[in-house]
Amino acid sequence: MKIKINGREQEVSVTDLSIAGLLKIAKVESAEMVSVQLNGCFVDKADTDKTFVKDSDEVDFLYFMGGGV
Amino acid sequence: MKNLNFITKILHTKFLKEDPHGSLHMPVYDNVTFEFKTAEDLELAFAGKKPAHMYSRISNPTVEHFEQRIRAVTDARGVIALSSGMAAISNTILTIAKTGDNIITSKHLFGNTYSLFEQTLKDWGLEARYADLTNAKETLKLIDERTRAIFLETITNPQLEVVDIQALSEAAKSKGVLVIADTTMTPPYVFSAKEFGVDIEVISSTKWISGGATSIGGVIIDHGLYDWNRNPKLKRDVVKYGPFAFINRLRREVYRNIGACMSPHNAYLQSLGLETLPLRVEASCANTFKIAEFLNKPGQVKSVNHPGLKDSPYYETARRQFADKPGAVLTFDLGSKEQCFKFMNGLKLIRKATNLHDNRTLILHPASTIFCEYDDETKLQMGIKDTMIRLSVGIEDSGDLIADIEQSLGRVR
């Protein structure tokens, strides 16, 4: 499937990919500090393993540096 | 391990990035700027899509570690460290309000905070409405569609008034109004602001947190309780940043543009201060009780004010909110201003200085110092009397402090 990560389209071969899984395969830096937006909506930290991405989704990894996650 | 206690969490807050030399303390990154390998990385960092520091006025590793330590013990959504407690208050208000808006507060406030509301921000069109915040019902009557916050001090300085914060925050929430609490006198470890419904906590970390007046600093804590959709100024931020609307607007606009950042060196000192905060709070509070009990004996002084005394009107509320740590400041009254000055001048150990929560015990005559800019009528409304002395109790031996007070009182009587 094709998904947009931080505005760049990328091909992902994994199926049933959760946000938690995407954080790993995309090798997201300081993953414990990142806030994830899926199609413009924030994903609660507690829900990253039960929220799944699908074809054409847009995912943004955001950092509020300095004490904000 | 889970559910670590305050001091353990502070001491073992992990660095976000491993130190290349294995330093146990976060080093002082006393630099201005940070280099990127590629232009693309720089672009991502500016867009907030790469975890990186760009410029120390906006964020810095040493300052960030101090912020992270506070976040670890408050379970906050976000924490920002600033150059002073007054910067924490002004940056917060400038983020949530604009010309024509109002905030509700009390005249029983730290003098500089009152001056900020009544002079500095008033000139920019912000109205401060004054209420008796101990009366939630009356306070609610002042709220209208332009009210952006209720601002309170957990223990007012130097009136030592204690608001029922849960009652006030529940009342504020019924109207969708933000609650900002200045917790300088009861910082995290003493008071769990989030549990009592405080949305934004502001602290002068110069006081207790800094480790005994080592440096000037301030902190803003967003506890993540408020729905920022309720604030018209932050609506566009909510669309883009959801629950991070306030902290992002602050970091990327108000804090960045005002420039009141904490210096890395101060962050280092304040981070060290946090490590011993519980020990110093316990020592100062215990000393305060002993001195208050001594002064409260018949014939010592005209009256003693401390929320930890059973005859204080705020005893029950203080007990509920701060347990056995209702601050380390007390005030007492003598017969006149002249008697106050004579008493202060007769002290051999206690220092005459304006600050709170130094490791040393400090004494001040509020009416002639931190409230000197106000006329008698305003002082009266603010609860400031010419006969009042403020004592900020340190961590010295309580017997030595009481002996000093006793010998100087003997000269006044």
Side-chain angles (χ1 to χ4, degrees):
Chain A
M1 63 180 162
K2 280 182 181 169
I3 56 175
K4 244 183 201 174
I5 299 176
N6 283 351
R8 289 179 194 167
E9 198 164 77
Q10 296 191 24
E11 184 73 40
V12 180
S13 55
V14 184
T15 52
D16 296 331
L17 182 61
S18 67
I19 295 290
L22 181 62
L23 285 168
K24 280 183 193 152
I25 66 163
K27 294 180 181 161
V28 169
E29 282 182 76
S30 303
E32 70 284 2
M33 286 290 288
V34 78
S35 297
V36 184
Q37 267 187 339
L38 176 61
N39 300 321
C41 295
F42 279 92
V43 178
D44 197 288
K45 268 204 176 308
D47 295 334
T48 54
D49 56 352
K50 50 193 175 202
T51 305
F52 292 85
V53 290
K54 57 183 187 317
D55 191 48
S56 305
D57 275 350
E58 293 184 16
V59 183
D60 284 295
F61 299 124
L62 300 171
Y63 296 88
F64 301 96
M65 292 305 293
V69 292
Chain B
M1 287 175 73
K2 285 190 175 175
N3 300 324
L4 297 175
N5 286 316
F6 186 98
I7 196 162
T8 316
K9 280 185 186 168
I10 289 289
L11 287 165
H12 294 281
T13 308
K14 285 184 180 165
F15 299 166
L16 291 176
K17 286 185 181 170
E18 198 175 332
D19 182 76
H21 304 286
S23 171
L24 267 180
H25 279 297
M26 171 58 76
V28 184
Y29 281 86
D30 223 349
N31 59 315
V32 173
T33 195
F34 302 84
E35 187 182 14
F36 290 77
K37 284 188 177 154
T38 65
E40 287 80 4
D41 282 348
L42 199 50
E43 183 185 35
L44 283 173
F46 268 76
K49 295 178 177 179
K50 182 177 177 61
H53 301 282
M54 297 164 283
Y55 194 75
S56 284
R57 174 163 46 80
I58 304 165
S59 71
N60 169 282
T62 314
V63 179
E64 179 185 63
H65 184 62
F66 173 62
E67 293 167 338
Q68 284 296 323
R69 283 183 146 188
I70 291 184
R71 203 175 68 80
V73 291
T74 55
D75 189 30
R77 173 157 290 147
V79 177
I80 292 186
L82 303 96
S83 56
S84 71
M86 289 308 301
I89 297 171
S90 55
N91 274 252
T92 298
I93 301 296
L94 291 172
T95 304
I96 59 149
K98 55 187 174 186
T99 302
D101 288 345
N102 67 73
I103 57 163
I104 296 170
T105 186
S106 161
K107 282 200 174 176
H108 291 182
L109 281 178
F110 170 50
N112 292 174
T113 307
Y114 181 75
S115 173
L116 173 74
F117 294 156
E118 199 52 31
Q119 292 164 358
T120 314
L121 294 178
K122 194 176 191 175
D123 284 346
W124 291 93
L126 181 82
E127 181 193 357
R129 297 179 175 181
Y130 299 100
D132 172 7
L133 298 181
T134 62
N135 186 334
K137 261 189 183 174
E138 288 300 309
T139 304
L140 282 191
K141 288 180 186 170
L142 295 182
I143 293 175
D144 65 17
E145 73 282 358
R146 298 300 297 266
T147 302
R148 296 293 165 251
I150 294 175
F151 181 95
L152 65 101
E153 293 176 2
T154 48
I155 299 179
T156 67
N157 170 23
Q159 304 83 1
L160 307 184
E161 183 179 275
V162 181
V163 172
D164 182 338
I165 297 164
Q166 187 126 36
L168 191 65
S169 60
E170 281 171 9
K173 270 166 192 53
S174 73
K175 299 275 187 185
V177 173
L178 181 79
V179 174
I180 305 169
D182 181 336
T183 64
T184 299
M185 302 266 263
T186 60
Y189 179 69
V190 174
F191 176 58
S192 301
K194 190 175 188 175
E195 287 175 24
F196 287 84
V198 171
D199 298 300
I200 299 291
E201 194 172 352
V202 289
I203 311 174
S204 168
S205 54
T206 311
K207 311 298 188 299
W208 242 333
I209 288 176
S210 78
T214 63
S215 50
I216 302 281
V219 175
I220 299 171
I221 303 171
D222 177 0
H223 285 294
L225 301 176
Y226 192 69
D227 175 7
W228 294 109
N229 262 312
R230 308 289 300 248
N231 184 300
K233 189 171 177 180
L234 290 171
K235 278 214 155 133
R236 68 178 163 89
D237 303 270
V238 175
V239 172
K240 206 165 175 191
Y241 299 107
F244 301 97
F246 171 80
I247 214 79
N248 190 70
R249 181 76 174 264
L250 191 56
R251 175 78 68 189
R252 289 172 180 273
E253 186 200 304
V254 179
Y255 173 84
R256 183 198 67 189
N257 293 353
I258 299 285
C261 56
M262 180 178 275
S263 80
H265 186 69
N266 282 13
Y268 179 78
L269 292 172
Q270 306 237 336
S271 212
L272 286 183
L274 266 180
E275 295 186 358
T276 56
L277 176 68
L279 309 177
R280 290 179 289 105
V281 164
E282 297 288 350
S284 285
C285 286
N287 278 354
T288 309
F289 273 115
K290 287 177 188 164
I291 293 171
E293 280 167 8
F294 167 77
L295 290 171
N296 218 20
K297 286 179 189 165
Q300 295 290 12
V301 295
K302 272 181 75 182
S303 62
V304 186
N305 184 16
H306 177 57
L309 287 172
K310 284 186 178 163
D311 58 6
S312 163
Y314 307 112
Y315 175 77
E316 291 298 336
T317 311
R319 189 91 197 156
R320 201 165 53 247
Q321 293 173 171
F322 319 127
D324 59 346
K325 294 178 270 294
V329 174
L330 61 85
T331 64
F332 56 95
D333 285 272
L334 295 176
S336 63
K337 177 183 173 184
E338 290 68 33
Q339 281 197 353
C340 291
F341 277 30
K342 193 173 179 190
F343 169 75
M344 289 172 67
N345 290 334
L347 292 167
K348 297 181 187 307
L349 188 64
I350 294 171
R351 309 294 185 95
K352 293 175 275 295
T354 178
N355 194 19
L356 300 174
H357 310 309
D358 194 302
N359 291 334
R360 288 157 286 266
T361 298
L362 307 180
I363 196 160
L364 189 78
H365 180 253
S368 62
T369 55
I370 51 176
F371 291 87
C372 68
E373 68 193 87
Y374 302 110
D375 59 34
D376 289 346
E377 193 187 330
T378 310
K379 279 186 205 169
L380 200 65
Q381 289 169 358
M382 297 171 87
I384 307 302
K385 292 178 288 180
D386 241 8
T387 53
M388 178 205 281
I389 284 176
R390 185 186 79 180
L391 204 60
S392 167
V393 181
I395 61 173
E396 303 99 323
D397 178 83
S398 61
D400 292 339
L401 293 171
I402 289 170
D404 193 27
I405 292 167
E406 192 168 24
Q407 65 81 23
S408 194
L409 277 178
R411 293 163 187 256
V412 175
R413 279 197 294 266

